[in-house]
Each structure stands twice: as C-alpha cells, then as structure tokens.
Amino acid sequence: SLIVSRTVRSGQSIFFPEGDVTIVGSVGSGAEVVAGGSIHVYGALRGRAMAGSTGNAEARIFCRKLEAELIAIDGFYKTAEDMEPELRGKAGQIWLEGETIKAAILG
C-alpha cells in the first residue's frame, strides 16, 4: 500500500496500481487518486477517486468528507451530479454491487 502524508492539491495525480492508497489529508478539487485497491482519505475528498483500477471489484473508497467530483470502482463511474445529496459533506464509504456503485454514510 501507499501512504501519502499530505494533501493532494488541484492538478496533482496519485497513481498506484499495485494496491491501496491512503491519503493523510484531503484531495482537492481538480486532483485525482487512482489505486489498484481501495482508497482511504482522512480528510475531504473533493477531486476524483478511482479505486480498483486494475479490475478489483472488491475495492472501496472511504473518506471523512464526501464532496467528490467523480468516483469510480473497477471502471464503473458516478459523478457529483449523480450522487445522493444526503451523502454530501458526510463521512462515507463507496463500493460496487454488481454493476452499481453504492454509497453509505459512516458513523
């Protein structure tokens, strides 16, 4: 797994196809995180998060504050406009069931 001990700022990209990525900070608007495994964000997720990029349908996305522009797991995408409004700004987890992206509030 890869641990990034800083905020990922707009225009920056983290790409780690070998496993999980943990961000100890936030992911800014316009930034992206791509992982072969799961993505863990211990701050706000405002940019793009793509988990399971190497065909891992079991990957998940966890964040303390969900404000993502785009989320994806194993090639299935959901944009900010498609996300449930009650999830915005909350701690959450995102996973894949079949070909449908699911999300739930944590805590």
Side-chain angles (χ1 to χ4, degrees), residues 66 80-90 105:
L66 180 60
E81 294 80 27
D82 299 327
M83 287 184 226
E84 296 81 359
E86 62 271 9
L87 298 172
R88 306 261 333 139
K90 304 280 193 319
I105 295 172

Side-chain angles (χ1 to χ4, degrees), residues 12-33:
Q12 293 182 317
S13 180
I14 303 292
F15 180 70
F16 189 71
E18 291 84 26
D20 293 0
V21 173
T22 301
I23 307 292
V24 183
S26 297
V27 177
S29 180
E32 72 176 7
V33 178

Side-chain angles (χ1 to χ4, degrees), residues 29-67:
S29 180
E32 72 176 7
V33 178
V34 181
S38 296
I39 296 173
H40 308 262
V41 181
Y42 289 100
L45 172 56
R46 294 188 183 96
R48 296 177 299 277
M50 292 164 267
S53 65
T54 56
N56 181 358
E58 299 298 313
R60 291 181 179 236
I61 299 169
F62 300 90
C63 63
R64 177 159 290 165
K65 189 174 184 183
L66 180 60
E67 297 178 348

Side-chain angles (χ1 to χ4, degrees), residues 56-57 59-60 73-74 76 94-102:
N56 181 358
R60 291 181 179 236
I73 298 177
D74 190 24
F76 294 93
I94 296 103
W95 70 96
L96 191 63
E97 275 185 21
E99 295 184 355
T100 304
I101 290 183
K102 299 285 189 171

